[in-house]
Amino acid sequence: MGRERTQRLQGQAIVRRHDPDFRNFVEAVVQRGAVGNRLTPDHRIVGEVPISIAERLRYPQLSAAFRSESERSDTVCVVTAEAPSPEALRAAARTGWSIMRFSDEEGLRAIGASRRKRIPPLPSDILMPELNRLGRNRGLAVRGVDPRDVIRIPVPIYDHWSQQFGSSELVAAVRWYRSSINRFHELGISSGVAAIPASLFLHAERQGDEAAHYLRHADQVDTPTAGALAKRTADLRASWSEPAYGASRIMLEDGKLPVRVGPVAREEVAAQKFFTIDGDVTAVLLFSSRLFYVWARAMLTRSPSWSSRFSITRTFETFPLPEQFLVSSDGDGGRSSLRAPPNSRELKSLTERFDEYQLSFGDGRDRKESVNDHVRETEEVLLRMIGLTSGATDLDLLERLIEMNRTAGT
């Protein structure tokens, strides 16, 4: 229907019942398709999907059971059109099967692997139930600064600028822009880039600050246009604030698994691809543990247009912290911090050995074994806190964390 003239178009539509041939589709995916020809064509569809598993699926007709013909394995895997729920995973685990979505390339490549993996790992794509956002976690994790909200200054320019305008509030506001994770025993400011809030620069420029005028005309320094608005003011304010007394700041990379945790010095701010958390040593132990790894992996936000990502609301605010940990809201910039209670003997033992644990990375076989012992002991302590033993599978752990989330939200 045009404004100046009207044109009528006639067409015909045919509607018919959709009867997908999912088995043939999935066979092509497993053997030749989405996994990029990385599998040998020795997989065959076997029988029907058991009722105990099918009744846990929303679309059971869009599923097929595979068995590898390889002599190394007798594993049966159910491949579906949907991400399996924890209930479907448990139904499959009871029969010793695995289950995954057809787009789960990592899991599909494992079909036919050695039988030494008696317990199949969790798939990378899981349909999680509706979860509670826990008020206790609010302000604990903060995303790094948006690069559009800061002005980054190379070291050579910074050195001359800071010496010339040392009394300016802009120089006093400088933080070092950290875009990589260090190990704890390598802690040091080595980013080579200084940063100041763009909003502070614009304010100083309006006040006639000579330091701002210098940056405006400096080479290799991108400055915002007058009137530009900050993109993520809350993250900027939280990143520029200092940790509360007795706490330090750690960082972990968005979507990166296994989780790797590193320190953020008080003179630094983290780049946007990181999340930062304040707390004592127990924050490092918890967020580098299997508890958070299993949770973060199950809660990944996935999209075909970008890599897997964590989320403040989905990953961190739903994560059920063990009750033995304390969360204090005494930080600036709306930040909270995670602490160990003063009367926890188990956590105290782990924190007292923390420096030795971090410093022993890569320093010989004996030290590596010491690290592994500390990791195992940490995992056992954390699992006991949530009512599990060291023999708990990742599925046991995920189910327990889901239960804790629901209980904490009531």
Side-chain angles (χ1 to χ4, degrees):
M1 304 293 291
R3 291 184 178 180
E4 298 179 358
R5 60 184 180 181
T6 299
Q7 182 181 13
R8 291 188 177 182
L9 301 178
Q10 294 183 347
Q12 184 178 16
I14 300 176
V15 181
R16 61 186 180 185
R17 180 181 179 85
H18 180 51
D19 188 15
D21 189 359
F22 185 76
R23 288 193 169 194
N24 283 341
F25 164 73
V26 124
E27 189 171 20
V29 168
V30 172
Q31 294 185 0
R32 299 180 297 276
V35 296
N37 294 322
R38 296 192 181 186
L39 294 176
T40 56
D42 61 351
H43 303 81
R44 57 189 176 90
I45 296 176
V46 294
E48 297 293 331
V49 175
I51 295 177
S52 60
I53 299 176
E55 64 185 10
R56 300 296 192 278
L57 300 174
R58 292 177 297 171
Y59 309 103
Q61 72 277 16
L62 300 181
S63 61
F66 275 83
R67 184 190 298 277
S68 172
E69 294 180 349
S70 169
E71 294 180 356
R72 296 179 302 167
S73 174
D74 60 0
T75 301
V76 179
C77 175
V78 176
V79 182
T80 69
E82 63 191 89
S85 65
E87 291 78 14
L89 293 172
R90 175 55 68 187
R94 290 193 184 102
T95 62
W97 290 21
S98 58
I99 183 171
M100 67 193 66
R101 192 169 185 263
F102 74 88
S103 58
D104 189 345
E105 296 184 15
E106 178 184 347
L108 291 175
R109 292 192 187 103
I111 298 177
S114 172
R115 294 181 62 181
R116 286 177 294 181
K117 292 186 176 181
R118 182 177 58 86
I119 302 174
L122 291 179
S124 60
D125 196 356
I126 299 174
L127 177 64
M128 294 290 285
E130 185 175 350
L131 297 165
N132 296 307
R133 290 174 60 182
L134 307 177
R136 185 185 183 203
N137 296 23
R138 192 164 299 141
L140 189 59
V142 174
R143 184 176 285 280
V145 296
D146 191 311
R148 296 170 294 182
D149 288 340
V150 297
I151 297 174
R152 286 170 285 180
I153 311 168
V155 167
I157 296 176
Y158 165 77
D159 288 341
H160 183 269
W161 174 72
S162 60
Q163 291 175 9
Q164 187 172 351
F165 304 101
S167 60
S168 170
E169 65 173 351
L170 294 181
V171 176
V174 164
R175 298 288 189 273
W176 294 97
Y177 189 79
R178 175 149 295 285
S179 57
S180 62
I181 291 183
N182 272 351
R183 293 181 176 180
F184 282 80
H185 65 282
E186 299 171 343
L187 179 59
I189 299 170
S190 58
S191 69
V193 178
I196 56 173
S199 57
L200 184 63
F201 163 81
L202 291 172
H203 175 74
E205 188 176 44
R206 289 194 296 268
Q207 300 298 316
D209 192 322
E210 289 297 323
H213 179 77
Y214 180 95
L215 292 179
R216 174 68 77 182
H217 299 282
D219 293 333
Q220 302 178 30
V221 178
D222 293 328
T223 52
T225 58
L229 299 176
K231 306 299 180 182
R232 305 176 70 94
T233 54
D235 294 341
L236 187 71
R237 183 172 58 253
S239 294
W240 242 262
S241 68
E242 291 195 0
Y245 177 77
S248 57
R249 186 161 296 163
I250 61 173
M251 64 195 300
L252 54 153
E253 188 169 351
D254 189 3
K256 187 72 172 179
L257 295 172
V259 177
R260 182 183 172 194
V261 174
V264 183
R266 289 180 178 267
E267 301 85 2
E268 295 178 322
V269 292
Q272 191 179 23
K273 68 177 181 178
F274 299 100
F275 290 92
T276 60
I277 298 169
D278 288 357
D280 59 15
V281 172
T282 54
V284 179
L285 299 179
L286 180 60
F287 283 94
S288 60
S289 71
R290 185 157 72 106
L291 271 68
F292 183 70
Y293 168 79
V294 168
W295 187 259
R297 191 170 186 267
M299 300 298 290
L300 280 179
T301 299
R302 295 178 177 86
S303 169
S305 60
W306 59 68
S307 58
S308 300
R309 304 176 71 179
F310 299 153
S311 162
I312 290 289
T313 56
R314 180 175 168 84
T315 307
F316 293 97
E317 289 191 358
T318 60
F319 179 49
L321 304 170
E323 293 182 357
Q324 292 84 346
F325 288 82
L326 300 178
V327 179
S328 174
S329 301
D330 56 357
D332 295 329
R335 301 196 70 130
S336 299
S337 56
L338 190 70
R339 315 290 183 98
N343 59 348
S344 175
R345 294 182 179 180
E346 289 183 314
L347 286 176
K348 182 178 180 182
S349 173
L350 293 176
T351 56
E352 287 177 347
R353 294 174 52 199
F354 173 75
D355 289 338
E356 174 188 348
Y357 159 58
Q358 290 294 345
L359 289 171
S360 60
F361 273 109
D363 293 333
R365 182 175 178 180
D366 292 339
R367 287 189 175 275
K368 179 174 285 190
E369 290 177 353
S370 175
V371 170
N372 291 335
D373 289 342
H374 188 277
V375 171
R376 283 192 294 269
E377 183 181 350
T378 300
E379 181 175 312
E380 290 176 0
V381 169
L382 294 176
L383 288 172
R384 281 199 300 270
M385 285 182 175
I386 62 174
L388 296 177
T389 66
S390 58
T393 66
D394 286 352
L395 180 55
D396 296 332
L397 179 51
L398 180 61
E399 290 174 328
R400 178 67 181 124
L401 292 173
I402 292 173
E403 179 186 353
M404 289 171 59
N405 172 275
R406 290 172 168 170
T407 303
T410 59

